[in-house]
Amino acid sequence: EYLVRTRHRYATMYNDASPNEAHHIASSFHVMRSTGCKNGAAEENRRGCHDHLPMHPPVLEEEGTDVSSDEGTTDSDDDDNNNNSIRHNGGRPGDCDRWFSRDFLCRMSPEDFRRFRENAISMVLATDMTSHFSIVSEFQRLVPSVPSVGDHSREEVDKSTIDILLKTALKISDIGHLTATLDVHKKWVSRLEEEFFEQGDCERARGMKVSFLMDRSKPGVGKSQVGFFDIVVFPLFKAWVDVFPASEPLLEHVTENYEYWRSRESPPADDVSKSP
């Protein structure tokens, strides 16, 4: 929403539809279309898909360009004549003995690649939290209608069920720190809180209304974890474990971390005893 409200170039490029997630998946495929450098005999056994690459090096952008950063991207459209425009190696063109393709999917058949790309795009776009509840609802509706999904072969499960399974699996991975040990989980919550505060700083600097949980002068996400677990996390993980019981340890770790946050919201015993 922030990118849309600020009319960021990603919002313009992706027509306001999950611009951040759309940028991530587009950049991933862009990296695969780029080339790397082979130097020395040790690399000669790595047969790439494109041994026919020209001996001259690809056109490289300015040093330090990173497709994951705002500074490293432009509004210009990419085309086949500029598909090697990402700099990765830090060396100069003349430093390379031979260029190779990073496209590790290049030996896929056209049909397999089409299916892979279709799935990858839909899965990454599904990590946009604006679609969270609709995806969880669809998962709860679709998947239990197929008995013992985990025991079925791919051919026995229809495409719509496979799609929602993949989307939900990636959503669980996307918030995987919730299943980590408490010390790791707390570090990620702290990082997320700081990221939110930084957005709030930008909103305030632009004269915009500061978004919920993004105001440094107020409690951040570290103070709202119990509600987040209750409303967002538990329905997702419980639905997943209902279908895949072997995933029960994930839910157990989630519950342990939840108890930590709940204990922080509970008043100390002394305060309870003094309450009227």
Side-chain angles (χ1 to χ4, degrees):
E1 184 182 355
Y2 173 75
L3 297 180
V4 175
R5 288 190 292 129
T6 57
R7 302 181 183 181
H8 192 278
R9 63 178 175 275
Y10 292 168
T12 302
M13 183 181 302
Y14 301 112
N15 301 313
D16 296 349
S18 304
N20 203 40
E21 291 76 15
H23 168 65
H24 292 161
I25 188 63
S27 295
S28 298
F29 280 98
H30 190 76
V31 168
M32 282 196 295
R33 292 173 59 196
S34 69
T35 55
C37 179
K38 282 186 179 181
N39 275 321
E43 295 286 350
E44 287 305 314
N45 290 328
R46 287 178 48 188
R47 289 188 55 80
C49 290
H50 302 295
D51 288 334
H52 61 277
L53 281 174
M55 292 308 294
H56 58 78
V59 177
L60 300 178
E61 291 186 23
E62 293 180 4
E63 189 167 1
T65 295
D66 181 352
V67 294
S68 65
S69 67
D70 288 351
E71 294 75 19
T73 58
T74 66
D75 288 324
S76 60
D77 292 332
D78 293 324
D79 53 41
D80 288 339
N81 293 324
N82 193 35
N83 62 5
N84 293 325
S85 61
I86 307 176
R87 187 184 191 99
H88 294 277
N89 301 294
R92 298 297 176 184
D95 296 338
C96 189
D97 294 338
R98 186 180 182 190
W99 299 95
F100 67 94
S101 169
R102 286 191 171 90
D103 186 1
F104 62 91
L105 303 175
C106 58
R107 287 192 174 88
M108 276 186 170
S109 69
E111 177 59 21
D112 284 346
F113 178 79
R114 184 195 64 77
R115 284 204 306 260
F116 171 84
R117 178 169 163 79
E118 179 183 283
N119 286 333
I121 292 173
S122 66
M123 290 165 64
V124 172
L125 294 184
T127 61
D128 186 344
M129 285 301 294
T130 61
S131 62
H132 173 83
F133 294 104
S134 63
I135 289 175
V136 173
S137 176
E138 185 181 357
F139 178 81
Q140 292 171 326
R141 177 182 63 83
L142 256 184
V143 177
S145 65
V146 183
S148 304
V149 162
D151 298 328
H152 281 243
S153 70
R154 181 182 179 90
E155 290 72 20
E156 294 173 313
V157 182
D158 63 88
K159 184 180 184 302
S160 61
T161 302
I162 292 174
D163 288 345
I164 194 62
L165 282 171
L166 292 174
K167 289 178 180 178
T168 307
L170 189 59
K171 285 185 67 63
I172 286 177
S173 301
D174 193 38
I175 53 176
H177 69 89
L178 299 168
T179 69
T181 56
L182 181 60
D183 59 328
V184 173
H185 166 59
K186 287 167 61 178
K187 287 179 181 178
W188 280 104
V189 171
S190 177
R191 291 166 180 166
L192 179 63
E193 185 171 66
E194 179 58 29
E195 181 181 326
F196 275 29
F197 285 156
E198 288 181 3
Q199 178 175 320
D201 295 342
C202 292
E203 291 172 335
R204 181 176 287 107
R206 288 172 174 264
M208 301 166 61
K209 180 181 178 180
V210 178
S211 300
F212 179 58
L213 298 177
M214 298 186 182
D215 190 335
R216 286 187 188 275
S217 64
K218 300 177 181 179
V221 296
K223 300 297 184 181
S224 64
Q225 287 298 293
V226 171
F228 178 67
F229 274 73
D230 285 337
I231 297 171
V232 175
V233 179
F234 278 125
L236 172 64
F237 278 84
K238 287 180 179 178
W240 183 262
V241 171
D242 283 345
V243 178
F244 299 105
S247 300
E248 180 72 30
L250 296 179
L251 183 56
E252 292 173 357
H253 290 305
V254 166
T255 303
E256 290 172 4
N257 289 329
Y258 170 75
E259 293 299 332
Y260 165 77
W261 296 111
R262 199 168 65 135
S263 69
R264 286 171 59 91
E265 287 195 356
S266 302
D270 292 341
D271 292 344
V272 173
S273 62
K274 296 176 185 177
S275 60

